[in-house]
Amino acid sequence: MSETIFHTEDLVKTYHTGGTEVRALSGVDLDLYGSELTVLLGPSGSGKSTLLNILGGLDHATSGLVEFRGRDLTLLSDRELTRYRRDHVGFVFQFYNLVPSLTARENVQMVTDIAPNPMRAEEALARVGMSDRIDHFPAELSGGQQQRVAIARAIAKRPEVLLCDEPTGALDSSTGVQVLEAIRDINEDLGTTAIVITHNAAIQGMAHRVVHFQDGNISTVSTNDTRLAPSQIEW
Amino acid sequence: MHALDKKLLRDFKRLWGQSLAIALVLACGVMILLTAFGMYRALDDTLEAFYERNEFADVWAATEKAPRPLLREIAALDGVQRAEARVQEYLMLDLPGRVKSATGLALSLPDNGALPGLNVPLLRSGRLPDPQATDEVLVTEPFAQANGFVLGDTFDALLSGQKRSLKITGTALSPEFVYAIGPGTLMPDDTSFGVMWLPQAMLASAFDMSGAFNSVSLSLTRGANEPQVIDALDDLLAPYGGTGAHGRDQQASNAFIATEIKQLKNMATILPPVFFGISAFLVNMVIGRIIALERGEIGLLKALGYTDLHIAAHYVLLAGLTALLGIVIGWITGGMSARWMAAEYAQYFKFPYLIFNVSYDAYAISGFLALLTAAIGALRSAMAAATLPPAVAMSPPAPPRFKRSLFDRLLAALRLSQPSMMIWRSLFRWPLRAAMSAVGLSLAVAIMISVGFFSYSINAVSDIAFDQSNREDTVLLFAKERSLSALEDVRKLPGVEEVEGELYTPVKLRNGWREKQLSIITRGEGATLARSIDEVGHVVEANGSGLLITTRVAEVLGLRPGDQVEVEFMTGRRETYWLTVSGITEQFLGLGAYMSREAMARLTRTEPQISVANVSLDPRQDMAFNTAIKEVPMISGAVRVTDMKASFAATVDENISIMNGLFSIVAILITVGLTYNSARIQLSERARELASLRILGFSNWEVSFVLVGEIMLIAALAQPLGWLIGYGLGELMAASFSSDLYSIPMVLPPAAYARASLVVLATSFVSVMLVRRRIDRLDLVSVMKTRE
């Protein structure tokens, strides 16, 4: 088994909204390993996005331990978290979150401008099959194309982990498959640890491991002996 | 170029309308700062240079006739560096091809053929008159130019009743007459008044001043005590009919320029902060909204690893680009308007040169202030953006919290329509923003009112000064005091319908430590041409042995009717009396005190005398009259009140309409900046709400009402505040423009308020209607789908 990238112990996150306390994560223990493609599966509100945000350094845990390569993320300051995101993590969001006033290439350059050892924007876009739309603005791209640009943007910094939050959530089946293929290729070709959050059970077939979420905690963890190719997935 | 920089430029391009609206307001601040500061510096520098190079004196005094040797005693006074004596007389001029008389102020040049040591005329062309010549004269350059004279030309002058032909040998400019106004006039008129220098010998023999002088000027040593020197000089000159020495503050030309410089300084300090304040608010509003709209992008940037500083800088730079645009526009227009102002000043102020240094520091300061303004405006929002936790930034903002309050019950009780309800709720949901917008708009109203009152005030000044007080057509000045019989001689002149005499007696009025030098004007009882008017517009005369004083004198000396005032006469027996203030008269031009002819004669134990004659004329005999007075020896000058009134109205009208136009533009720019941006932000915040209304079946116009209604409601609420601030600002302006030379009353009829409000409301309406068009283009489906 390869090395442990993320390790959490009794991870708790509570939100206070309008006087009521919401427990988004209630004591999550989880290990995620290098070069693995993990799918976090669960209904909305089960806490998987909260976990991803904490793993990605976007949010603080309320209590518990979360380690990246043995380094306790809960001890990091905001400045150190920024550094951590910049150097190690690539994000893919459900709604792509491309900057509308920048072209595909420029959206990727946003990352290559500040990352320590990035690949060229063109190369990142080629990896997701977007070479021919490189100078298009987001408004000129389909949803699937926008999401592939977002993936290119995430991988351009050669991150160690790729965190994808419902990457196909806003897409139909056939365009979603193209996006999943791009994620799988990155995982296989570059060895990037990929964590994909989804409520879409069909996607779990492409993962090495599947972590099932329910009510803020892990219900089961299963391993796929034979993985499906994205092209075999349909919803 | 970094991708983030590209985003910056594209965002700026997308926001060009809003940015331009802000930039223009900012540009106003920069422009006014640059113009006022630049001109203030130019005037100040030029004046200082001219004064220093041409030995402008510190103290002046006039006497009836003092012996030359007295000059040595004067020069020996403590604190005096240099003393210069001369003969100074007003001459009636008869210029070729001109029917109307003109007045010349003749100054003697030293016997040795050199220039005087103080108040040195700067030779502009030709040469000085020969000291022995009896027909040569050096004249001021503007006088020569205005009358079309070239070197060698001649004109006639009455010297002690003797007509002499004088040949122009040269032209000059003098630091004493940068702003040159003739006796009894209000505004420079180079065709009818000129200063001229004649040889001492010739002037002295003509006016019986051989071995004597009647004017002395002094320069003081560094650290000299000016009041002490003035007192000592007065003591020395008293036996020779000294009429009271004064410093630069009462030197006519210098006092006018000093007033102008003070006004420019006020303008440079009072106005720009208003524009910068409004700009900061606008930037704050717009950047705040952009950040609200870009929460997702901010979250993304953070997720990508951009630091807080990166993000804050990004939005501050966006404001910076707007500031840059404003600075460029402000610098260009400021440069142009400074040049225009310089040309305007050249009309009134006769400098030999204008030291108009491009003051790089003024450019730098105005640019820095504009950038600072934008940065301050953007900083709070940018900091808020930078400190948004990334996970929060990525989720849509919670809907604004509306709470039920007493106010809601009131609205409900009023049974307002839902769109009206939306307007009121929004106003009370963001009361600070609504209040700031209203304050901004009220400043636009105030700015218009604060200059709008000028035309009404000047009309009032003109009405009181000419239509009610000085109703004569011409004032004839006598070379010396005359007995009342002189009026009979004047009455015989062609075209004279009525004639009345006045006596000007120089005095010092004192109330405790407060003192003013002025002339008491003595009139016959029941005078109808020149009269005094009280505050409510009734004719008022000095009664008994009392003294009637003007409002300004009453203010300056702290006097009220019934008070006793110490009056020191500067002529005749030079006695000091205590007189009772019998009343106050409204007079906006100059200082004054009035007394009845009989009372004055009793007081001074002399026959009643006059020093001027006020004349009303048959207009058909105007020419004959003007030709005739040139031949009357006792008349040393004539002031044509009718001409003065016309030129006063013309000059003032021109300046006021330029000012009004300029400030209207400024008010319009402020209004556009505020309403256009407010409307754009309203629309952006409420696109979903308004689209929902459309989907529910409201018409375009019903939906537009929500947007237009709120903006116009704010604009309407701004009006009363604007009137109030405008009144206050106007009073401040009137006070800052008022001096001993003239004062400006505060006259603000309802029309002035109405005009300002109309301009601001109409501009608001047009601006919001421009934005309203976007409601017609609202894509209902996509708006409803947009996440936010």
Side-chain angles (χ1 to χ4, degrees):
Chain A
M1 187 166 286
S2 47
E3 94 186 276
T4 304
I5 298 285
F6 285 113
H7 169 72
T8 76
E9 263 178 56
D10 197 22
L11 193 62
V12 173
K13 176 71 187 180
T14 49
Y15 291 109
H16 297 270
T17 47
T20 54
E21 192 182 279
V22 178
R23 211 170 165 83
L25 292 178
S26 44
V28 173
D29 301 311
L30 178 66
D31 284 305
L32 295 166
Y33 306 108
S35 305
E36 197 181 43
L37 196 163
T38 309
V39 166
L40 301 187
L41 188 65
S44 49
S46 60
K48 51 192 193 317
S49 287
T50 305
L51 177 65
L52 195 81
N53 283 346
I54 294 173
L55 294 180
L58 290 178
D59 208 349
H60 293 279
T62 309
S63 68
L65 177 72
V66 50
E67 285 181 350
F68 172 75
R69 292 186 182 285
R71 199 166 154 212
D72 190 350
L73 293 185
T74 57
L75 299 179
L76 299 188
S77 65
D78 277 345
R79 184 184 292 265
E80 288 164 327
L81 279 180
T82 300
R83 190 86 219 164
Y84 159 69
R85 291 196 300 268
R86 180 190 290 204
D87 295 348
H88 304 290
V89 189
F91 284 99
V92 178
F93 305 98
Q94 179 178 4
F95 292 102
Y96 337 127
N97 286 12
L98 297 180
V99 176
S101 58
L102 297 179
T103 61
R105 188 207 311 263
E106 289 160 356
N107 262 287
V108 178
Q109 281 170 344
M110 282 219 302
V111 168
T112 59
D113 282 345
I114 59 167
N117 177 31
M119 62 178 80
R120 289 174 48 243
E122 293 77 5
E123 184 190 339
L125 285 163
R127 285 194 172 275
V128 295
M130 289 295 296
S131 293
D132 53 337
R133 323 227 79 183
I134 206 157
D135 287 322
H136 286 59
F137 282 97
E140 299 164 334
L141 300 172
S142 72
Q145 289 169 334
Q146 287 185 55
Q147 191 61 297
R148 281 190 280 157
V149 174
I151 293 171
R153 185 176 65 187
I155 60 157
K157 67 166 80 159
R158 304 181 200 275
E160 282 157 86
V161 290
L162 184 62
L163 303 179
C164 311
D165 189 354
E166 298 277 7
T168 59
L171 301 173
D172 61 51
S173 177
S174 61
T175 40
V177 165
Q178 294 172 4
V179 168
L180 294 178
E181 275 174 343
I183 293 171
R184 184 206 54 194
D185 292 349
I186 303 304
N187 171 252
E188 286 180 359
D189 299 352
L190 301 176
T192 309
T193 304
I195 300 165
V196 177
I197 280 188
T198 184
H199 65 275
N200 184 347
I203 292 172
Q204 62 182 308
M206 69 180 277
H208 293 107
R209 272 201 310 156
V210 183
V211 178
H212 296 265
F213 259 76
Q214 192 73 49
D215 297 332
N217 217 327
I218 297 167
S219 55
T220 51
V221 177
S222 58
T223 309
N224 285 328
D225 297 329
T226 47
R227 295 165 63 208
L228 296 178
S231 55
Q232 295 170 283
I233 296 173
E234 222 179 304
W235 61 87
Chain B
M1 189 188 280
H2 285 196
L4 204 57
D5 299 332
K6 284 187 187 156
K7 171 180 175 317
L8 184 69
L9 288 180
R10 295 211 181 112
D11 284 349
F12 182 63
K13 211 171 121 189
R14 184 166 55 84
L15 294 167
W16 73 269
Q18 283 164 277
S19 298
L20 185 68
I22 299 173
L24 286 176
V25 178
L26 210 48
C28 282
V30 171
M31 180 193 88
I32 290 175
L33 191 69
L34 213 57
T35 311
F37 193 74
M39 279 318 301
Y40 154 70
R41 283 268 290 272
L43 276 188
D44 209 39
D45 288 354
T46 307
L47 203 61
E48 197 179 323
F50 194 24
Y51 282 179
E52 198 181 314
R53 290 178 204 169
N54 290 64
E55 305 285 350
F56 188 54
D58 295 305
V59 171
W60 287 258
T63 77
E64 275 167 31
K65 184 177 179 182
R68 277 264 158 196
L70 189 67
L71 186 62
R72 224 167 297 142
E73 276 181 69
I74 294 173
L77 286 175
D78 200 22
V80 174
Q81 189 178 50
R82 181 170 197 146
E84 181 88 22
R86 64 188 177 192
V87 176
Q88 169 180 320
E89 295 288 347
Y90 282 105
L91 312 178
M92 174 82 106
L93 306 180
D94 186 2
L95 304 181
R98 186 184 149 101
V99 176
K100 295 174 191 170
S101 64
T103 307
L105 175 62
L107 305 173
S108 65
L109 286 167
D111 275 331
N112 57 10
L115 284 164
L118 291 176
N119 304 316
V120 186
L122 181 79
L123 210 57
R124 301 283 288 170
S125 68
R127 58 165 177 85
L128 294 179
D130 185 314
Q132 307 308 322
T134 55
D135 62 347
E136 290 189 352
V137 67
L138 173 73
V139 300
T140 42
E141 190 180 33
F143 173 74
Q145 283 170 348
N147 287 297
F149 290 134
V150 294
L151 298 186
D153 281 356
T154 58
F155 61 87
D156 291 339
L158 277 179
L159 280 79
S160 274
Q162 269 197 322
K163 195 171 238 185
R164 298 265 190 102
S165 178
L166 299 174
K167 190 170 90 180
I168 299 172
T169 62
T171 62
L173 287 170
S174 161
E176 269 183 298
F177 304 99
V178 172
Y179 186 85
I181 50 173
T185 59
L186 296 173
M187 235 154 287
D189 176 5
D190 296 323
T191 54
S192 63
F193 175 72
V195 179
M196 44 207 59
W197 291 264
L198 293 101
Q200 163 89 28
M202 173 234 194
L203 203 57
S205 72
F207 287 94
D208 189 23
M209 282 281 171
S210 297
F213 64 88
N214 62 5
S215 163
V216 62
S217 37
L218 313 177
S219 65
L220 303 183
T221 54
R222 198 176 294 275
N225 183 334
E226 188 184 291
Q228 265 178 22
V229 175
I230 288 177
D231 282 346
L233 182 61
D234 279 348
D235 289 346
L236 279 180
L237 292 177
Y240 307 100
T243 52
H246 60 81
R248 285 185 177 185
D249 57 331
Q250 287 187 56
Q251 202 269 341
S253 162
N254 184 62
F256 264 97
I257 306 172
T259 308
E260 194 63 39
I261 288 176
K262 196 181 102 193
Q263 283 165 16
L264 283 170
K265 215 171 160 182
N266 285 344
M267 199 159 124
T269 45
I270 294 174
L271 283 175
V274 172
F275 295 100
F276 289 140
I278 292 175
S279 307
F281 167 60
L282 289 177
V283 167
N284 180 279
M285 193 165 78
V286 171
I287 298 287
R289 181 58 195 158
I290 290 170
I291 285 167
L293 285 177
E294 294 191 350
R295 282 168 69 92
E297 286 177 31
I298 293 164
L300 168 81
L301 289 173
K302 294 201 153 186
L304 294 178
Y306 279 88
T307 60
D308 294 353
L309 192 68
H310 259 121
I311 291 163
H314 177 68
Y315 290 101
V316 171
L317 276 177
L318 188 60
L321 282 180
T322 303
L324 223 55
L325 183 65
I327 292 168
V328 170
I329 297 172
W331 278 356
I332 293 172
T333 52
M336 280 170 11
S337 86
R339 216 159 301 155
W340 172 81
M341 283 272 271
E344 278 292 294
Y345 279 124
Q347 275 185 37
Y348 300 106
F349 297 139
K350 308 301 177 188
F351 289 113
Y353 38 77
L354 188 65
I355 301 180
F356 192 77
N357 288 324
V358 178
S359 38
Y360 293 104
D361 48 348
Y363 279 87
I365 289 168
S366 60
F368 171 75
L369 286 177
L371 282 173
L372 189 70
T373 298
I376 288 172
L379 206 60
R380 213 175 64 99
S381 301
M383 290 300 290
T387 49
L388 267 182
V392 174
M394 302 289 287
S395 56
R401 213 172 289 176
F402 286 88
K403 276 186 271 182
R404 295 197 74 78
S405 65
L406 216 74
F407 181 73
D408 285 277
R409 280 191 223 150
L410 179 72
L411 288 182
L414 287 173
R415 294 186 173 279
L416 292 176
S417 67
Q418 290 310 314
S420 303
M421 201 81 109
M422 287 170 73
I423 291 174
W424 283 104
R425 286 243 169 84
S426 157
L427 223 58
F428 282 82
R429 175 65 187 79
W430 288 282
L432 189 68
R433 190 167 75 184
M436 295 284 277
S437 299
V439 168
L441 287 175
S442 70
L443 287 177
V445 176
I447 280 176
M448 279 200 68
I449 292 177
S450 73
V451 290
F453 88 91
F454 269 113
S455 57
Y456 300 103
S457 299
I458 297 298
N459 277 340
V461 169
S462 175
D463 178 57
I464 296 274
F466 299 113
D467 299 338
Q468 299 197 50
S469 299
N470 299 92
R471 311 192 304 164
E472 63 274 14
D473 295 312
T474 296
V475 179
L476 297 177
L477 313 173
F478 298 131
K480 284 195 176 65
E481 279 83 39
R482 300 268 157 185
S483 70
L484 291 178
S485 64
L487 291 178
E488 295 314 310
D489 297 333
V490 172
R491 203 184 299 280
K492 286 180 200 137
L493 291 169
V496 172
E497 287 181 338
E498 281 174 83
V499 56
E500 291 169 358
E502 283 180 331
L503 174 69
Y504 281 68
T505 314
V507 297
K508 280 182 184 169
L509 292 190
R510 245 177 249 123
N511 181 27
W513 53 271
R514 287 177 278 200
E515 181 185 288
K516 262 297 158 206
Q517 271 192 38
L518 46 81
S519 286
I520 292 182
I521 298 160
T522 312
R523 289 176 184 151
E525 213 174 305
T528 54
L529 294 177
R531 0 175 261 185
S532 294
I533 305 293
D534 69 8
E535 280 169 2
V536 287
H538 295 137
V539 175
V540 55
E541 286 193 342
N543 55 25
S545 58
L547 200 61
L548 186 67
I549 57 174
T550 62
T551 326
R552 174 88 184 171
V553 174
E555 275 169 21
V556 173
L557 295 181
L559 290 170
R560 279 181 310 190
D563 286 352
Q564 292 282 308
V565 59
E566 190 186 339
V567 184
E568 182 187 343
F569 281 72
M570 306 303 293
T571 53
R573 295 196 178 87
R574 309 184 68 88
E575 290 162 329
T576 300
Y577 305 98
W578 285 86
L579 297 179
T580 309
V581 176
S582 71
I584 310 282
T585 164
E586 190 87 86
Q587 177 181 312
F588 301 118
L589 306 172
L591 299 173
Y594 299 87
M595 219 173 148
S596 86
R597 186 174 290 154
E598 289 65 35
M600 178 63 92
R602 246 189 343 260
L603 202 63
T604 54
R605 303 181 298 285
T606 50
E607 280 293 299
Q609 285 186 316
I610 53 169
S611 53
V612 305
N614 297 323
V615 175
S616 74
L617 291 172
D618 175 356
R620 288 164 300 183
Q621 298 202 55
D622 195 49
M623 219 160 166
F625 174 80
N626 279 298
T627 314
I629 57 171
K630 293 178 195 166
E631 311 294 334
V632 181
M634 69 176 174
I635 298 173
S636 70
V639 179
R640 302 176 50 84
V641 181
T642 342
D643 287 1
M644 199 157 85
K645 182 184 172 186
S647 84
F648 178 75
T651 316
V652 169
D653 275 355
E654 188 196 327
N655 288 342
I656 284 180
S657 37
I658 290 172
M659 281 267 275
N660 271 337
L662 221 64
F663 278 74
S664 299
I665 292 173
V666 160
I668 287 172
L669 289 180
I670 291 178
T671 309
V672 171
L674 278 162
T675 41
Y676 182 79
N677 275 306
S678 297
R680 285 293 298 269
I681 285 167
Q682 288 286 343
L683 183 64
S684 129
E685 282 174 354
R686 295 186 143 181
R688 274 166 76 85
E689 221 171 296
L690 300 182
S692 308
L693 285 180
R694 291 275 292 119
I695 290 166
L696 290 176
F698 283 83
S699 73
N700 253 340
W701 280 103
E702 284 165 324
V703 172
S704 303
F705 171 72
V706 176
L707 179 76
V708 179
E710 179 168 345
I711 301 287
M712 292 312 289
L713 182 63
I714 292 176
L717 291 175
Q719 301 307 313
L721 184 63
W723 298 336
L724 211 67
I725 300 176
Y727 185 84
L729 220 58
E731 283 219 308
L732 210 70
M733 290 267 247
S736 86
F737 275 82
S738 292
S739 63
D740 284 355
L741 303 168
Y742 51 87
S743 56
I744 292 175
M746 185 68 184
V747 183
L748 262 177
Y753 294 102
R755 183 170 162 270
S757 288
L758 198 68
V759 168
V760 169
L761 288 174
T763 309
S764 299
F765 189 68
V766 171
S767 309
V768 69
M769 289 307 274
L770 280 177
V771 178
R772 196 215 63 82
R773 288 182 314 170
R774 289 166 181 262
I775 289 180
D776 301 342
R777 300 199 298 257
L778 221 51
D779 178 346
L780 300 183
V781 179
S782 83
V783 166
M784 295 314 288
K785 270 187 174 170
T786 315
R787 214 170 55 117
E788 198 228 329

